[in-house]
Amino acid sequence: NKVRTCTKTTSSDIVGQVASDCGLSTATTSTPAQHDYVMQADTDFGFLSEMADRVGYDWWVDPEGKLQFHPMLQDGGHVVELTWDSNGIGLRQFAVRASALHPQKMTMHGWDAEQLQPVASTSTTVRGLPTAELVKPFVEARSLTAKSSVTSGHAMYSSSNEGNALAASAAIMALSSAVTAEGVCEVNPGIQLGAKVNVSAVGPASGTYSVTEVEHVYGARGFETRFVAGDRVPTGLVDS
């Protein structure tokens, strides 16, 4: 573990400092809120994950060795077109599983140390979710979980900006875990973390998915790319 203190700085600047100490260059989306005081008492990996979760960002190191730090499920970005091909050229395998058992609203509680009063922030609409007709009823789940909500105080905060980011981050994680898509295609270096795949010719499962895991493998079937779009937090040893 490492101890580090930061004063009067933003989350993106802190991430840049940690990356620099590890010999990495960065490509970050700036965060507007400035923290009066932040303390690290964890490994650099754990600290980066904590900073990302608090502002609703993802972080990863790309193949060029650059640390990327950007909003979860951000609109736009790199999109890879994939089409099902029964001959095994292009998209070879594709499977989707979905669940409606997730909250539609996340409320985070904190404490305003200056005003000496509790504060609360509630998530709003989450953008960038899978667009396939097959999974929309599970993601929206209005008839089943219209009143489903989660209230938490696991990550304390003091400002409304930070609270809104925490609530949005928690909502994205909950909804991302509701849909998991797994695919295998011929090797495609364009499929990377932070990118999206637009899958076509797979019936109602056709649509756009945000990539959360990717693996390029050379084996008996040749050189292929395996990707997952779904839960952002490992839930067990198999996910690791």
Side-chain angles (χ1 to χ4, degrees), residues 21-98:
D21 290 348
C22 295
L24 299 171
S25 59
T26 58
T28 64
T29 299
S30 297
T31 53
Q34 186 179 79
H35 305 290
D36 289 333
Y37 179 83
V38 174
M39 179 177 178
Q40 173 186 354
D42 197 354
T43 63
D44 287 336
F45 183 93
F47 186 53
L48 286 173
S49 298
E50 178 186 348
M51 296 305 300
D53 288 346
R54 292 190 72 87
V55 294
Y57 275 38
D58 279 328
W59 76 270
W60 66 95
V61 178
D62 65 23
E64 285 72 42
K66 181 178 292 186
L67 192 149
Q68 304 282 342
F69 184 68
H70 305 289
M72 295 179 182
L73 301 182
Q74 60 181 334
D75 293 331
H78 182 58
V79 179
V80 177
E81 301 290 337
L82 292 177
T83 301
W84 174 262
D85 191 324
S86 58
N87 295 320
I89 301 174
L91 187 62
R92 302 170 180 173
Q93 298 177 28
F94 190 66
V96 179
R97 63 179 184 270

Side-chain angles (χ1 to χ4, degrees), residues 6-186:
C6 306
T7 59
K8 302 297 183 181
T9 187
T10 64
S11 295
S12 54
D13 287 340
I14 293 173
V15 169
Q17 181 180 339
V18 175
S20 178
D21 290 348
C22 295
L24 299 171
S25 59
T26 58
T28 64
T29 299
S30 297
T31 53
Q34 186 179 79
H35 305 290
D36 289 333
Y37 179 83
V38 174
M39 179 177 178
Q40 173 186 354
D42 197 354
T43 63
D44 287 336
F45 183 93
F47 186 53
L48 286 173
S49 298
E50 178 186 348
M51 296 305 300
D53 288 346
R54 292 190 72 87
V55 294
Y57 275 38
D58 279 328
W59 76 270
W60 66 95
V61 178
D62 65 23
E64 285 72 42
K66 181 178 292 186
L67 192 149
Q68 304 282 342
F69 184 68
H70 305 289
M72 295 179 182
L73 301 182
Q74 60 181 334
D75 293 331
H78 182 58
V79 179
V80 177
E81 301 290 337
L82 292 177
T83 301
W84 174 262
D85 191 324
S86 58
N87 295 320
I89 301 174
L91 187 62
R92 302 170 180 173
Q93 298 177 28
F94 190 66
V96 179
R97 63 179 184 270
S99 170
L101 298 177
H102 57 83
Q104 291 292 305
K105 182 172 65 175
M106 303 290 292
T107 300
M108 305 297 291
H109 288 272
W111 177 259
D112 188 328
E114 293 185 358
Q115 301 297 323
L116 298 180
Q117 62 184 15
V119 288
S121 296
T122 300
S123 63
T124 56
T125 303
V126 177
R127 299 179 297 173
L129 295 170
T131 61
E133 291 297 326
L134 177 69
V135 303
K136 279 186 178 179
F138 295 92
V139 172
E140 297 174 356
R142 293 194 179 99
S143 61
L144 298 176
T145 56
K147 297 181 180 179
S148 175
S149 62
V150 169
T151 300
S152 174
H154 81 277
M156 296 298 289
Y157 63 92
S158 59
S159 69
S160 60
N161 285 337
E162 188 178 14
N164 292 336
L166 273 170
S169 172
I172 289 173
M173 290 182 180
L175 284 171
S176 295
S177 64
V179 178
T180 299
E182 301 180 10
V184 179
C185 63
E186 63 178 346

